[in-house]
Amino acid sequence: MKQFPSTFLWGAASSGPQSEGSFNKPHDSVMDAWFKKRPEDFFDRVGPDIASDSYHHYDSDFEQMKECGFNSYRTSIQWARLIRNLETGEADEDGVQYYRNLIQSAKAHGIRLIINLHHFDLPEELLETYGGWTNRHVVDLYVSYAKTAFELFGKDVDLWTTFNEPMVIPECGYLDGIHWPKYKQRGKDAVQIMYHLNLASSLAIQEYRRQNHSGKIGIILNLTPAYPRSNDPADLQASAFVEDFYNRFFLDPAVYGTFPRRLCSLLEEQGVLFSSSESDTAVFKNNTVDFLGINYYHPRRVKARETPLIKGEWTPAQYFEDYEKPGIRINPYRGWEIYPEALYEIAHTIQTEYGNLPWYVSENGMGVEDELRFADEAGIIHDHYRINFYNEHLAQLHRAIEEGSACFGFHAWTSVDCWSWNNAYKNRYGFISVDLKTQARTIKDSGRWFHQLATTGVLEDDS
Ligand code: BG6
């Protein structure tokens, strides 16, 4: 039996664009626009327009989250919903009312909210007009949005995060070509975007503190630990590059207000270092996070590049290749490796290299296709695979906490099954299933299991 701290946050995460539906939004986000332009990119042509309709169901959803034992929940405000005038940061009345109601409902249900400001969902006009995050002006617009959000809700919400997985924006949109605008290998743009996202986060933190709120503010990062194929220096170098580029380029500025030196020298030498202003250095230094949220799903196995790239623009892909280690466990629906030990290692890294900063697991979970095959006549899904997945990850987390890691919570992905980029509703992650035709919700076995865990703080060895 493993006992977690009594103050632990237990719950799950979701995001505005994946759960609310697009009702009454004054603007489209890049995801809304992507679906309108290319519905065939999404599994079964299901878009974010209705999603799980939490716009109308948030109250009963909190009710069911309570039944699953939640004491906390993270979602995000949609910039495209809250802000009517993107240049001035003026709020939209309906958006304000919606988020106000959501916050009140969470409070009435005894659920502590963590509100995130950006979950890949840039308002489309800012991509069209300014080229999105490549343009520094968009950083300023994001800060006016954050200012409005803090002014409106800063008294009622005491935990904020500036971004969810900022690395996904350049990685999927400008390097791998899988998220809108679907560019491939635009390395220089990706580097500039990474810099601007870090800057936007620090400036939002500065604004939050300027308003003198009593809560705390952090950032949510997807840490994907890189493991080299071998101890061969070329493999070690490849994995060190991946670690710096994909993880530490966000971790270092968030915690220390600096960028990884080794990587910056390489970018400079290659002529692709980001452009910056002199005054930024102080902004980064003075506005580091209070806490980190870490999303962990899978590790990354890397080796030195073996197949040369066709000569072209600078790209991080020239320094490594992904490789599939023989014998690893894979979630076949998502294609992600299952490796719970890495969660312990992440905790250890934060403890030993990042000043044992307070942090929590802000996402962890397992997406499974066609889950209805595991449902009984009452429609209850018996998802023992998900319970096993969480058990294994929580055991590693518990080990780290026993060794002194300052982890203060565990949020699963997700509460109610939600929509996703590309995969739409193909893989289900929730503790609560949703019928897309009727929007009826049913708690899965994992939700009942989580209730027991969250309300006792005890992870049974054989649960
Ligand atoms: C995280 C994101 O990376 O993974 C979520 O923060 C996402 O938005 C989740 O839904 C699961 O990934 P996917 O692609 O299977 O939905």
Side-chain angles (χ1 to χ4, degrees):
M1 175 183 121
K2 297 174 181 69
Q3 179 75 53
F4 281 84
S6 59
T7 52
F8 219 55
L9 293 187
W10 292 106
S14 186
S15 76
Q18 291 176 271
S19 61
E20 289 171 10
S22 302
F23 314 95
N24 297 338
K25 276 163 64 173
H27 306 277
D28 277 349
S29 74
V30 284
M31 299 300 168
D32 298 313
W34 174 15
F35 178 68
K36 284 181 186 167
K37 286 179 198 151
R38 306 259 288 263
E40 67 278 12
D41 281 0
F42 299 85
F43 186 75
D44 277 349
R45 292 181 167 246
V46 174
D49 43 341
I50 297 177
S52 310
D53 191 10
S54 63
Y55 184 80
H56 297 106
H57 290 76
Y58 60 86
D59 211 38
S60 48
D61 284 349
F62 283 133
E63 197 72 46
Q64 282 193 313
M65 289 184 215
K66 268 326 255 190
E67 282 186 56
C68 296
F70 287 25
N71 61 17
S72 51
Y73 171 67
R74 188 235 319 176
T75 189
S76 66
I77 292 177
Q78 294 197 65
W79 185 350
R81 179 185 295 293
L82 183 68
I83 302 299
R84 166 159 296 282
N85 185 328
L86 298 169
E87 293 296 327
T88 63
E90 184 207 327
D92 179 79
E93 235 174 82
D94 186 86
V96 174
Q97 201 51 54
Y98 171 68
Y99 291 116
R100 197 160 269 154
N101 293 345
L102 176 100
I103 291 166
Q104 286 319 317
S105 174
K107 199 174 254 174
H109 285 92
I111 290 180
R112 188 170 176 193
L113 278 185
I114 298 177
I115 289 288
N116 175 42
L117 289 173
H118 196 75
H119 201 117
F120 319 152
D121 55 337
L122 185 75
E124 163 73 355
E125 285 133 274
L126 302 186
L127 181 66
E128 291 291 323
T129 317
Y130 297 116
W133 288 107
T134 56
N135 190 326
R136 193 173 168 125
H137 182 55
V138 170
V139 173
D140 297 333
L141 299 183
Y142 166 85
V143 179
S144 9
Y145 150 53
K147 176 173 183 283
T148 302
F150 300 146
E151 282 166 356
L152 285 165
F153 311 121
K155 299 256 166 317
D156 297 313
V157 173
D158 69 346
L159 291 173
W160 290 84
T161 55
T162 55
F163 285 91
N164 175 79
E165 301 189 352
M167 186 60 208
V168 166
I169 298 169
E171 185 179 2
C172 295
Y174 292 78
L175 294 172
D176 297 347
I178 54 175
H179 285 184
W180 200 253
K182 301 189 88 172
Y183 296 134
K184 284 200 174 140
Q185 306 307 349
R186 291 204 182 178
K188 195 167 168 40
D189 279 351
V191 170
Q192 191 61 53
I193 289 170
M194 288 157 74
Y195 181 77
H196 282 157
L197 291 167
N198 275 300
L199 182 63
S201 178
S202 296
L203 286 167
I205 292 173
Q206 175 174 279
E207 174 57 28
Y208 181 74
R209 296 197 177 128
R210 196 192 60 75
Q211 290 185 22
N212 256 319
H213 295 293
S214 55
K216 299 212 178 304
I217 186 159
I219 190 168
I220 291 170
L221 302 178
N222 49 322
L223 290 192
T224 309
Y227 295 98
R229 168 181 55 181
S230 72
N231 283 332
D232 184 286
D235 285 340
L236 292 176
Q237 216 179 336
S239 124
F241 174 84
V242 169
E243 197 53 45
D244 280 353
F245 193 81
Y246 290 92
N247 296 329
R248 302 203 182 215
F249 200 92
F250 286 95
L251 203 44
D252 286 13
V255 179
Y256 291 124
T258 56
F259 287 88
R261 214 174 297 150
R262 184 174 52 184
L263 178 64
C264 289
S265 312
L266 182 139
L267 297 176
E268 189 155 32
E269 191 188 290
Q270 297 291 316
V272 291
L273 190 64
F274 44 81
S275 54
S276 57
S277 299
E278 237 170 76
S279 55
D280 296 350
T281 313
V283 171
F284 285 117
K285 265 283 171 213
N286 297 331
N287 297 290
T288 55
V289 295
D290 295 318
F291 69 93
L292 287 169
I294 303 297
N295 294 352
Y296 173 69
Y297 289 90
H298 60 89
R300 188 160 197 171
R301 309 275 174 188
V302 294
K303 62 180 181 184
R305 182 124 220 129
E306 285 171 349
T307 39
L309 287 175
I310 305 159
K311 278 224 165 358
E313 203 190 317
W314 181 90
T315 153
Q318 68 203 57
Y319 300 95
F320 71 97
E321 271 182 63
D322 288 308
Y323 109 106
E324 202 168 299
K325 190 178 169 184
I328 55 172
R329 280 195 290 159
I330 298 262
N331 167 3
Y333 315 104
R334 191 59 180 81
W336 283 345
E337 180 180 347
I338 300 176
Y339 187 63
E341 291 82 350
L343 188 55
Y344 168 81
E345 287 168 28
I346 287 172
H348 187 71
T349 303
I350 296 173
Q351 187 175 352
T352 54
E353 295 178 45
Y354 290 90
N356 206 15
L357 192 77
W359 71 287
Y360 82 113
V361 176
S362 40
E363 283 182 34
N364 176 237
M366 184 184 183
V368 170
E369 192 173 352
D370 190 18
E371 270 203 316
L372 274 183
R373 73 199 135 119
F374 303 112
D376 62 20
E377 306 84 72
I380 297 169
I381 292 170
H382 301 296
D383 53 346
H384 57 90
Y385 40 86
R386 180 166 292 115
I387 297 173
N388 291 343
F389 181 94
Y390 286 134
N391 261 319
E392 287 189 73
H393 285 80
L394 282 160
Q396 294 294 333
L397 185 63
H398 187 263
R399 178 155 77 102
I401 294 171
E402 292 273 277
E403 290 175 18
S405 169
C407 177
F408 62 82
F410 180 88
H411 276 187
W413 185 266
T414 184
S415 45
V416 179
D417 285 341
C418 66
W419 181 83
S420 178
W421 346 95
N422 294 332
N423 282 324
Y425 279 87
K426 173 177 161 287
N427 299 319
R428 305 293 184 109
Y429 283 86
F431 286 134
I432 302 165
S433 64
V434 64
D435 177 331
L436 291 182
K437 288 202 187 80
T438 61
Q439 290 292 341
R441 275 97 155 122
T442 311
I443 297 179
K444 305 178 192 176
D445 279 358
S446 57
R448 304 284 172 202
W449 164 85
F450 194 75
H451 178 273
Q452 175 71 13
L453 168 69
T455 50
T456 59
V458 171
L459 183 72
E460 299 291 349
D461 287 330
D462 56 354
S463 66

